Amino acid sequence: MIKTYMRKDLQNYSPYHAPEKPYEVKLDANENPYTHDPEVIQAMKDWIEDCEHMRRYPDTDCHRLKEAIAEFWKVGKDEVICGVGSDQLIESIAKVFIEPGDKVLMPAPSFSMYKLATTLNRGIAVEFSLDDDYQYPIDTIIQTYQEIQPKCVFLCTPNNPTGSSLAIKDIEKLLQVMTCPVVIDEAYGEFVDRTMIDQIDKYPNIIVLRTFSKAYGCAGLRVGYGIGSKEMIEALHLVLPPYHLNAFSQYMAKTILEKYGHYKDNVKAIVKEREALITALSTIDYVCKVYPSDANYILISVSRDDIVKQLEERKVLVRGYGATGALANCLRITVGTEKENKKLIEVMKTI
Ligand SMILES: Cc1ncc(COP(=O)(O)O)c(C=O)c1O
């Protein structure tokens, strides 16, 4: 009954879904396995003790958090926007720029939210395929861009789930041609230590997205941010709901940014563990290929179609992509702690 009243284009729409499963080792969502700085934990306790915070609405403009981000990146406060995760900013970009029938250019395989946000706003997702090693095919992208003249482009670097990333010179090559809004999603940017944030003056049509969910281990707080020209940021603010980001998350994200040193060390530890895990995965007989990664996860292809299930039965979670499509028989494994990674390899060897 309700379905008959729904928008026709949503009747077969599948939303983003992440079912909860029991686990001992959780390596399926690119989360950060390390603990927080003790001063951050103390700040969290202090905040909770003062109930006044909860009675009041949060700062709808996220002034203090924006100030901290602006200072961190040496940009203007009016060049920063905060969101409920970078997911909300992806949605906002789609809401602001896409009109029904507009084409949006994006990589495949990549983060599913670009396509979902495009579809929800009645745009048409036009995907360009990454090459056989999941690298960005720069000349093909330029050619496709010129052919379809999209309203907006998404680039994900490092790309989820492939781990491949774009060199700055290649992004600049693309930006010589792309005049429409270009989203540069750097959700995993800390792991490759490369950014386009310092180029927002040169390219006022870009919006660089970052998040506290990965390198800063705060996926549960849902804080993301975007940095771009003042004009771009003003446009994106048009569609943000009032009081979108809760007061606790704003306060914690600011506190965490001030303890950057601690999180930088965690990133270094993850990068070191990633290389050890790549070596260990390569020794497993049903692993056909281990792709290099610039992020906190590793994509592998396997010769069997039951590995995700077998691991799940042993309470180890990884992300699987099924037996068909561009990621057929591929698994994405988040880099965990040394102990978690050892457990994963041990369990994989028993299958
Ligand atoms: C490439 C990419 N962008 C954005 C996000 C969204 O991150 P969040 O909404 O937690 O900030 C993710 C989450 O996995 C991601 O992989």
Side-chain angles (χ1 to χ4, degrees):
M1 151 78 177
I2 291 298
K3 219 171 173 183
T4 57
Y5 286 88
M6 271 172 58
R7 275 168 45 180
K8 292 210 174 24
D9 59 329
L10 290 189
Q11 291 184 357
N12 295 314
Y13 174 81
S14 315
Y16 189 91
H17 188 52
E20 285 200 1
K21 295 173 186 157
Y23 66 86
E24 275 164 26
V25 178
K26 188 174 186 311
L27 303 174
D28 62 343
N30 300 345
E31 293 148 337
N32 188 319
Y34 292 106
T35 53
H36 285 275
D37 184 283
E39 284 183 34
V40 167
I41 294 178
Q42 187 54 48
M44 176 157 58
K45 290 179 182 160
D46 293 346
W47 193 92
I48 288 167
E49 269 179 17
D50 182 357
C51 286
E52 180 69 4
H53 293 310
M54 275 190 291
R55 274 196 288 273
R56 306 292 172 202
Y57 279 103
D59 168 12
T60 191
D61 297 315
C62 306
H63 281 299
R64 278 179 286 271
L65 177 57
K66 275 188 199 164
E67 248 160 41
I69 294 169
E71 194 184 312
F72 183 85
W73 285 109
K74 308 285 173 255
V75 296
K77 192 175 150 200
D78 50 8
E79 293 170 321
V80 180
I81 185 168
C82 299
V84 178
S86 44
D87 276 347
Q88 185 176 45
L89 299 176
I90 293 170
E91 252 176 65
S92 305
I93 292 161
K95 275 187 195 158
V96 168
F97 295 116
I98 304 173
E99 290 182 82
D102 280 345
K103 291 180 182 141
V104 179
L105 186 60
M106 61 189 72
S110 191
F111 185 46
S112 57
M113 281 301 293
Y114 312 141
K115 198 170 177 180
L116 294 181
T118 300
T119 310
L120 273 181
N121 287 283
R122 298 186 158 106
I124 300 168
V126 179
E127 295 175 316
F128 60 83
S129 300
L130 299 182
D131 71 16
D132 291 346
D133 281 328
Y134 298 126
Q135 300 298 318
Y136 276 89
I138 303 300
D139 293 335
T140 311
I141 302 171
I142 292 177
Q143 201 186 333
T144 314
Y145 178 89
Q146 285 167 333
E147 271 164 31
I148 68 160
Q149 293 294 320
K151 192 71 174 291
C152 179
V153 176
F154 283 94
L155 300 172
C156 185
T157 178
N159 186 47
N160 176 10
T162 58
S164 44
S165 57
L166 276 157
I168 297 291
K169 71 168 179 16
D170 285 335
I171 300 180
E172 291 213 77
K173 194 170 169 192
L174 294 173
L175 292 175
Q176 298 311 315
V177 181
M178 296 176 171
T179 50
C180 71
V182 177
V183 183
I184 302 173
D185 186 345
E186 296 183 356
Y188 303 93
E190 287 83 358
F191 299 100
V192 71
D193 203 14
R194 191 189 298 156
T195 187
M196 282 297 287
I197 290 176
D198 49 7
Q199 308 243 30
I200 56 166
D201 289 342
K202 191 168 170 196
Y203 302 107
N205 59 324
I206 66 173
I207 170 81
V208 182
L209 299 184
R210 290 259 170 163
T211 180
F212 283 87
S213 300
K214 312 296 177 183
Y216 293 97
C218 288
L221 290 180
R222 310 300 301 121
V223 189
Y225 61 94
I227 299 187
S229 62
K230 192 167 168 268
E231 198 188 349
M232 171 67 79
I233 297 300
E234 266 171 20
L236 299 185
H237 271 120
L238 289 177
V239 294
L240 277 185
Y243 310 117
H244 60 299
L245 188 53
N246 75 74
F248 181 63
S249 294
Q250 291 188 36
Y251 165 80
M252 286 308 298
K254 178 179 178 291
T255 311
I256 280 165
L257 206 54
E258 285 159 2
K259 291 276 156 228
Y260 174 64
H262 173 88
Y263 297 92
K264 200 174 169 192
D265 288 346
N266 286 354
V267 166
K268 271 194 207 147
I270 290 169
V271 168
K272 191 165 161 242
E273 273 304 311
R274 179 184 73 205
E275 297 313 307
L277 186 55
I278 287 177
T279 309
L281 286 165
S282 315
T283 65
I284 292 172
D285 57 3
Y286 53 80
V287 172
C288 309
K289 186 151 186 181
V290 182
Y291 291 89
S293 172
D294 284 331
N296 67 336
Y297 50 84
I298 299 163
L299 189 76
I300 63 172
S301 70
V302 291
S303 58
R304 294 172 51 167
D305 60 8
D306 62 340
I307 301 300
V308 177
K309 193 165 156 279
Q310 295 276 356
L311 286 171
E312 252 173 52
E313 282 168 9
R314 293 160 175 85
K315 300 242 170 47
V316 175
L317 303 184
V318 300
R319 175 78 191 268
Y321 293 93
T324 54
L327 292 168
N329 295 323
C330 283
L331 314 182
R332 189 195 66 195
I333 301 171
T334 307
V335 180
T337 58
E338 187 181 358
K339 194 169 158 212
E340 288 173 323
N341 300 337
K342 276 202 173 126
K343 173 86 181 165
L344 165 81
I345 297 295
E346 225 174 83
V347 170
M348 282 181 90
K349 285 189 172 162
T350 67
I351 297 174

